[in-house]
Amino acid sequence: MTHHDGEDSPEPMASVRLRRAARGPEGAVRVLALHGLAGSVSSWAPYERLALDEVELWDGELPWGSAGDPGWSLRDDPADHVERALDAVPGGVDLLIVHSFTAGPALEALVRRAHSGGPRAVVVIAPFHRRRTDDFSWDDATYYLGGFHRILEEGLRIGGGERLPAEVRAAMALRVRDRVGPYGWQQFFGAYLRSPFLDVASLRLPVLVVAGSEDFAAPPDDARALAAALPDGRFRLFDDCGHFAMAEQPQRFADAVHELLRETFPAAPATPSPSDVHPYVPELT
């Protein structure tokens, strides 16, 4: 399902799709899930199978996805695309789920509309987020520039690439990297560098931040710091998990989402609360 801002509008359109209708008799909770850089809507297949009957699940095809237009990085503000995706869901989004790179633009978009309505709750998976400008160094730029393909290769592996020889998977990751291009990488790292300037204190809604203990791309301390800075942030660390919690540990992820749904939307049933809740650490702010 695609919604346009207008036939003559020069602005890019947002494409969203109803992935699964709610199965309950009434009281559907509209959930929109947005993939990360070079990701795809297939990222949400594991959660789709585990979602509560009351969940009406939507996903969005963003221009920085694996099948998107590489030209987006030359002209577009990623936060605009997130806003358009939010506005494209009929009836509005109750819960927004975002992964990896998209977390930064999504938070920027939510800050913009902090006082004008939006989702009632958010789940952020593996965010790239730091609280102070001096948390960054030249070593960070070197790490992410030289190792960008490793993140892409990990995504291919989690998405089913274990069936492929390692050398084939590595070659595919390099092709994806080249398709993203230097300007796409600059959009990624630029959003990361802007994260200390985000007014996350203005986000007066529950935000669940999920991290994997073995994530070599987005350090778990980034997620912990973000949760600490949010007025209603909560942090969950999944042990033995990397950058793709929703695919690597789908049941654990679904349980965490449903616990948030039970709290935010009392009419929705939920599974028992998982035991891996970690309090956020205030001193990281």
Side-chain angles (χ1 to χ4, degrees):
M1 182 171 185
T2 303
H3 297 258
H4 299 258
D5 286 340
E7 284 291 323
D8 301 321
S9 172
E11 297 179 333
M13 56 190 172
S15 178
V16 299
R17 175 188 66 160
L18 178 60
R19 188 179 186 104
R20 199 206 74 176
R23 296 167 180 160
E26 56 184 72
V29 178
R30 285 183 293 274
V31 176
L32 173 64
L34 299 178
H35 61 72
L37 182 61
S40 75
V41 296
S42 64
S43 304
W44 309 113
Y47 176 66
E48 178 184 2
R49 292 191 290 270
L50 297 169
L52 296 172
D53 286 349
E54 284 70 21
V55 167
E56 177 183 297
L57 183 61
W58 294 74
D59 59 31
E61 287 277 11
L62 298 170
W64 50 85
S66 58
D69 172 16
W72 75 272
S73 59
L74 302 176
R75 60 178 183 265
D76 298 344
D77 178 349
D80 288 345
H81 287 287
V82 174
E83 288 205 78
R84 289 185 177 86
L86 288 168
D87 292 338
V89 175
V93 175
D94 297 312
L95 173 69
L96 174 65
I97 304 177
V98 291
H99 178 237
S100 191
F101 161 73
T102 304
L107 291 172
E108 292 180 14
L110 293 174
V111 167
R112 289 178 189 175
R113 53 173 67 194
H115 304 292
S116 59
R120 290 174 54 189
V122 181
V123 177
V124 176
I125 311 161
F128 294 92
H129 186 90
R130 299 191 186 179
R131 296 306 305 149
R132 296 179 296 267
T133 56
D134 58 6
D135 287 339
F136 290 99
S137 71
W138 285 111
D139 289 342
D140 293 310
T142 301
Y143 178 80
Y144 285 105
L145 184 60
F148 187 53
H149 66 285
R150 292 181 58 227
I151 305 173
L152 303 174
E153 185 175 352
E154 181 70 0
L156 291 170
R157 184 184 71 81
I158 297 299
E162 292 280 17
R163 298 184 300 271
L164 297 173
E167 61 273 16
V168 174
R169 197 165 58 240
M172 291 174 63
L174 290 175
R175 287 199 294 272
V176 174
R177 181 200 63 181
D178 292 345
R179 190 170 189 276
V180 171
Y183 286 95
W185 179 89
Q186 186 275 335
Q187 287 274 16
F188 151 71
F189 201 65
Y192 201 0
L193 290 173
R194 289 195 302 276
S195 60
F197 300 99
L198 275 173
D199 181 20
V200 294
S202 66
L203 297 177
R204 303 285 172 173
L205 75 169
V207 181
L208 171 64
V209 187
V210 175
S213 64
E214 308 306 313
D215 191 342
F216 66 84
D221 280 350
D222 280 20
R224 187 180 285 109
L226 173 59
L230 289 159
D232 192 3
R234 56 288 306 273
F235 172 61
R236 291 198 178 167
L237 181 67
F238 289 4
D239 295 329
D240 302 316
C241 182
H243 193 61
F244 299 86
M246 65 284 198
E248 294 177 65
Q249 298 194 9
Q251 186 63 64
R252 208 170 180 184
F253 175 74
D255 288 347
V257 171
H258 297 158
E259 179 68 14
L260 182 64
L261 288 179
R262 180 175 66 181
E263 177 184 336
T264 311
F265 308 94
T271 55
S273 177
S275 59
D276 55 334
V277 179
H278 292 244
Y280 61 69
V281 183
E283 59 266 23
L284 288 176
T285 64

